[in-house]
Amino acid sequence: MALSNRIRLTIDRPASMLSMMKWFAKQGVPVFPIHSVADGICSCGDRDCDDQGKHPIGQLAPKGCHSATTDLKVIRKWHRAFPDMNYGVATKGLAVIDCDSREALDDFRRTYKPAPTFTVKTARGFHFYFLGEMPARNGARPNLDVKSGPGCYVVGPGSIHLSGAVYSPWEDEPIAQLSEAIREITAQPKDEAPLASNGPIPVGMRNTTLTKFAGYLRAAGANQRAMLETLKALNRSMTDDPLPDREVRQIARSISKKPGKVWPTLVPFSEIPDENLEWLWYPYVCRGTLGLLDGDPGDGKSQLCAWLCARITRGDALPGGDRSKPANVILFNFEDLKGAVIKPRLIANGADLDRVFIQSRQFQLTEEMVAWLDGEIADKRPAVVILDPIQAFMSGVDGNSNIDVREFMSPLAEIAAKYLCAIICVRHFGKSEQDKACQEKS
Ligand SMILES: [Zn+2]
């Protein structure tokens, strides 16, 4: 057998590694180059690499383990290009049982009684090689992974682990047939989301899984093209039976219509235009800003809003100010009856009813509805938009979390600035202790 012995491995690693790769290739097991570790740094150059000495060399194997080959000419070429590389053994047609601890090894031997087979000593345990495929699964048993099929690989013997340990042949046996007993390890499907396993995406989950990834990418700021390229790669590498490109394009197109992440940029003050605060009602309500109107229930906040709406629609001067041009107002009120309570209130204050707008039905200020609101404000050009009470628009937002509230408020503040309108959020304090505490803090 062309297997090198362990002594030779320690003397002339590159030569013995090449001979090991050839040994695999000659029996139809494809191999491919993966990064190695020198002085504690992965050869990919990333000091924070979280898969040191174990991930494919992208320039040589762009499709990872799917770039693996049995072509000796290609293997020699790879090895010449990166003599210090490690290599992966693609588990196409193979099953490799990866025992990562002494206990896992004892458990595997005792429970499944493996026939003598080609075995590699790893940094912490052993790789048992078998001919035949079975469902792959990480953590199939404690500290035991099953790598099998075209989508998986193991680090090949002759490679060097991050710790400096050499993956070395331990049992110099031919690769044995996979036994029925060992197949039992992953015979029972595991109740687990398909994303959590390292195996291929099941055929029925391809679209759902890729759509989920597209959503993550979009949220992280990817544009349609970047999403498409990434989805294509995922589609190739994560499934044995990839979706047609047409369907992948469709996913990228539909997800790219969702609002993506807009990164903030840094702007020098020389480019910040001079602005004057335009007070609608000094010093309470300012154009282009978001304001809060706080108070206990029953202390007249809604009355105050009706009074404010009325004066703005007529162009009446507010206390301490001047007359202005009559303007529109949008009054979102989810608490009071439109016809029986709000309208009489507006009439009593003398509002121009053609200039005060109210929602036809209730809604939550989701991302989609903020976009809708933006459109309505662009159309009606109100001087003031009132959200009464703001809590009613915030379902799913933790009102006690500063982060959640800020995230909710910031798109509203942007709209206020964009259209130079004042957005007033009416906040009712509840009677609960928690809300009282909140009130005292603010
Ligand atoms: Zn790396």
Side-chain angles (χ1 to χ4, degrees):
M1 173 156 305
L3 262 183
S4 325
N5 60 39
R6 270 174 286 149
I7 294 166
R8 190 174 160 206
L9 278 172
T10 58
I11 297 168
D12 187 359
R13 186 181 86 95
S16 76
M17 197 176 67
L18 185 59
S19 68
M20 285 300 319
M21 290 166 80
K22 288 181 184 166
W23 178 77
F24 279 114
K26 278 178 190 158
Q27 48 189 322
V29 177
V31 295
F32 65 103
I34 61 181
H35 282 286
S36 55
V37 181
D39 302 324
I41 298 168
C42 183
S43 59
C44 70
D46 178 358
R47 286 178 175 271
D48 298 322
C49 176
D50 56 9
D51 202 14
Q52 296 190 74
K54 287 187 173 183
H55 63 104
I57 299 180
Q59 300 123 281
L60 304 182
K63 294 182 192 170
C65 60
H66 295 278
S67 295
T69 185
T70 56
D71 185 332
L72 295 178
K73 259 190 282 177
V74 174
I75 292 171
R76 271 191 223 102
K77 203 178 82 192
W78 282 342
H79 189 255
R80 268 199 306 278
F82 287 83
D84 290 328
M85 71 186 203
N86 282 338
Y87 73 100
V89 178
T91 52
K92 185 165 177 281
L94 290 183
V96 177
I97 307 298
D98 177 5
C99 299
D100 220 8
S101 69
R102 185 75 221 179
E103 293 71 33
L105 173 71
D106 292 343
D107 168 61
F108 173 62
R109 283 188 162 151
R110 199 172 45 239
T111 314
Y112 300 101
K113 308 204 165 31
T117 188
F118 180 67
T119 306
V120 172
K121 172 92 179 75
T122 66
R124 279 181 305 194
F126 294 89
H127 286 162
F128 292 85
Y129 284 67
F130 298 99
L131 289 174
E133 292 185 7
M134 61 191 279
R137 191 179 302 158
N138 285 338
R141 295 179 69 81
N143 290 315
L144 184 148
D145 296 341
V146 176
K147 308 284 191 187
S148 186
C152 295
Y153 67 95
V154 290
V155 179
S159 299
I160 297 186
H161 186 259
L162 166 66
S163 64
V166 179
Y167 290 82
S168 41
W170 194 259
E171 297 280 2
D172 191 1
E173 296 278 343
I175 302 178
Q177 286 294 330
L178 184 57
S179 70
E180 284 309 311
I182 293 171
R183 284 180 195 277
E184 279 300 308
I185 299 177
T186 56
Q188 296 301 321
K190 201 172 176 186
D191 293 333
E192 192 176 35
L195 278 180
S197 91
N198 270 6
I201 309 173
V203 169
M205 290 296 291
R206 293 173 307 184
N207 204 299
T208 312
T209 308
L210 289 179
T211 303
K212 210 166 179 176
F213 272 110
Y216 299 149
L217 291 167
R218 187 70 182 143
N223 60 21
Q224 186 176 342
R225 199 171 136 213
M227 270 195 288
L228 180 59
E229 290 309 313
T230 312
L231 292 180
K232 276 186 182 168
L234 288 168
N235 187 40
R236 272 197 310 269
S237 56
M238 291 183 67
T239 75
D240 295 337
D241 182 13
L243 281 178
D245 272 3
R246 169 175 45 82
E247 287 188 42
V248 180
R249 272 197 301 277
Q250 176 55 39
I251 295 172
R253 199 178 313 129
S254 78
I255 300 297
S256 70
K257 290 187 183 129
K258 294 194 170 193
K261 183 166 186 155
V262 179
W263 293 100
T265 54
L266 298 180
V267 184
F269 266 101
S270 55
E271 287 176 18
I272 302 287
D274 298 333
E275 284 166 343
N276 291 317
L277 288 181
E278 282 189 47
W279 290 100
L280 217 58
W281 177 16
Y282 183 84
Y284 304 111
V285 184
C286 183
R287 286 183 195 272
T289 64
L290 186 67
L292 285 173
L293 177 58
D294 280 342
D296 285 317
D299 64 2
K301 292 186 301 298
S302 298
Q303 281 291 353
L304 177 65
C305 288
W307 171 82
L308 184 64
C309 288
R311 298 198 80 91
I312 288 169
T313 57
R314 288 193 314 257
D316 285 354
L318 287 154
D322 301 320
R323 272 197 66 84
S324 56
K325 267 186 17 200
N328 288 343
V329 170
I330 300 178
L331 173 58
F332 293 116
N333 182 313
F334 287 2
E335 287 206 322
D336 302 318
L337 293 170
K338 290 175 208 166
V341 177
I342 306 174
K343 192 172 173 185
R345 214 183 259 159
L346 289 168
I347 292 171
N349 281 284
D352 177 348
L353 296 184
D354 284 331
R355 286 191 173 278
V356 189
F357 296 87
I358 190 161
Q359 79 283 342
S360 61
R361 67 165 177 84
Q362 300 200 2
F363 57 89
Q364 295 298 308
L365 271 178
T366 55
E367 220 170 61
E368 188 184 30
M369 289 309 291
V370 167
W372 167 83
L373 180 62
D374 186 301
E376 289 299 321
I377 292 178
D379 179 47
K380 301 283 188 289
R381 289 293 171 158
V384 171
V385 177
I386 296 170
L387 299 160
D388 183 10
I390 187 64
Q391 286 97 330
F393 299 82
M394 296 172 65
S395 119
V397 178
D398 177 0
N400 291 318
S401 152
N402 275 333
I403 294 173
D404 280 18
V405 171
R406 192 165 291 184
E407 201 157 278
F408 173 83
M409 294 292 186
S410 74
L412 291 180
E414 280 170 23
I415 291 179
K418 184 162 146 195
Y419 298 107
L420 271 185
C421 67
I423 298 184
I424 300 175
C425 302
V426 178
R427 233 175 8 170
H428 296 317
F429 287 120
K431 296 270 184 277
S432 77
E433 290 309 305
Q434 193 180 23
D435 283 352
K436 280 285 175 198
C438 210
Q439 186 177 0
E440 276 152 24
K441 264 190 281 173
S442 56

